[in-house]
Amino acid sequence: MIESLASLLMVTVVLVLGPYVVAVLDRLVATSTGAMAGDIWLGPLSRAAWLLTQQANATEAPDWQAWRLSPALYLALAAVGLAVVPWSSTLIATDLVTSVVLWGSVEALATVVIFLQGWSANAVLPLIGAYRYVALGLSYILISMFVLIGVALPAESLQWTQVVTAQESLWNVIRQPLGLPLFLVVGLGLTFWGPLNLADSTDLAGGTSAEVSGPSRLAWEIARAVMLVAFSAIAATAFLGGWLGPWLPGPLWVLIKTLAVLALLLWLGHRLPRVAPERCVTLMWVVLLPLSFVDLIWAGVLALWA
């Protein structure tokens, strides 16, 4: 009972503090790459306060219910992802035997929610951004599916705690060298961050969020940040051994590894140029999807030899 409450408390803390940590790390990374980032520590708070005071935009005949629900649904999906992250062998909010599949469902449903965000505004640019994401969303899901099956094979289980336990002798990042890079691409796509920001890109004046302002804009940005944290925690669990590590307690190792993956994603977001939509489609289907299948075959061969 105590461990269940502790795990739920940790998920709540991450939900509350995660967006601020993402904003601070993003500004630190931007500063290290030479970009102007403004006030690193108070800037995110001042921006949040500013958005709260702004008037919410309204388009002609939007689907108000869907428009207001989409940020909440995206945040809820991120919370579900955090709930299946094991902080130790017993400290986990939802220890399902199919938790790997549940995370795959989160990625699939995220495509629906992102499309809903753009469609419900009843405006041209948000709808284009939504269709852009849908055009690429299936490739993200397929790449992630092959990669996640690959990490589940050594554990012979679809349970995240068993995936971590199977890495006691060797982390999956070493056992399957293609897995983590491919999964990071999925993370950038799932949160439409950096080079894969084709849903809310500047050439569409904000894409799915082009008509969103005020508190609704803040809610959407918070949901994106929490999803980035959730994805980083899943990546740390799947490839970096989760709670495994010397000296420090398991939850602290999960936190350190999650922050490391998060910082890497933010750095990639600033260093890599945005990919044109048509080239991104080719990259995903012609290059990365076959590589993810190679990764799965590699994982299967190693599992047979083990």
Side-chain angles (χ1 to χ4, degrees):
M1 182 65 179
I2 295 177
E3 288 183 337
S4 298
L5 292 175
S7 59
L8 288 174
L9 178 61
M10 295 183 78
V11 171
T12 304
V13 169
V14 174
L15 285 172
V16 174
L17 297 181
Y20 176 75
V21 172
V22 170
V24 169
L25 278 178
D26 190 51
R27 288 168 180 253
L28 286 171
V29 171
T31 302
S32 68
T33 57
M36 297 296 293
D39 191 315
I40 292 175
W41 304 104
L42 296 180
L45 298 177
S46 61
R47 173 172 170 76
W50 177 76
L51 285 174
L52 284 174
T53 61
Q54 299 303 299
Q55 183 176 358
N57 192 29
T59 58
E60 184 178 354
D63 185 337
W64 282 112
Q65 185 176 13
W67 210 9
R68 289 166 177 165
L69 268 178
S70 50
L73 291 174
Y74 197 47
L75 182 62
L77 289 175
V80 170
L82 288 171
V84 299
V85 173
W87 298 88
S88 72
S89 57
T90 56
L91 190 61
I92 178 172
T94 308
D95 192 17
L96 300 176
V97 294
T98 55
S99 51
V100 175
V101 177
L102 181 60
W103 172 253
S105 302
V106 166
E107 294 176 339
L109 290 172
T111 303
V112 179
V113 172
I114 294 165
F115 179 81
L116 189 66
Q117 167 79 350
W119 174 85
S120 58
N122 191 28
V124 174
L125 294 178
L127 189 59
I128 294 174
Y131 274 113
R132 269 190 184 179
Y133 188 86
V134 170
L136 290 165
L138 180 59
S139 63
Y140 301 149
I141 295 169
L142 290 175
I143 292 171
S144 178
M145 178 186 69
F146 287 135
V147 170
L148 291 179
I149 293 174
V151 300
L153 283 176
E156 298 181 3
S157 172
L158 293 172
Q159 191 172 15
W160 282 123
T161 49
Q162 296 300 316
V163 171
V164 174
T165 302
Q167 298 178 73
E168 288 182 345
S169 58
L170 188 66
W171 289 359
N172 284 332
V173 68
I174 300 173
R175 183 186 286 140
Q176 301 169 21
L178 285 175
L180 182 57
L182 289 169
F183 201 56
L184 292 178
V185 172
V186 174
L188 292 173
L190 180 66
T191 57
F192 40 103
W193 204 277
L196 297 184
N197 184 7
L198 300 175
D200 284 4
S201 54
T202 54
D203 66 321
L204 295 177
T208 65
S209 301
E211 301 293 342
V212 181
S213 62
S216 297
R217 182 63 175 245
L218 177 62
W220 186 245
E221 292 182 1
I222 288 175
R224 283 183 66 195
V226 175
M227 182 62 78
L228 195 63
V229 174
F231 177 86
S232 301
I234 291 292
T237 301
F239 293 98
L240 302 181
W243 70 77
L244 300 175
W247 306 308
L248 300 177
L252 191 55
W253 273 118
V254 175
L255 182 61
I256 292 172
K257 294 171 183 178
T258 299
L259 289 174
V261 175
L262 180 60
L264 178 57
L265 286 170
L266 294 174
W267 183 82
L268 290 172
H270 282 280
R271 298 300 298 180
L272 298 177
R274 191 173 67 86
V275 184
E278 61 277 9
R279 292 184 178 179
C280 191
V281 171
T282 302
L283 176 66
M284 295 300 163
W285 288 97
V286 178
V287 179
L288 298 184
L289 186 58
L291 281 178
S292 67
F293 192 64
V294 170
D295 176 72
L296 177 59
I297 294 174
W298 177 265
V301 171
L302 289 181
L304 288 174
W305 282 353

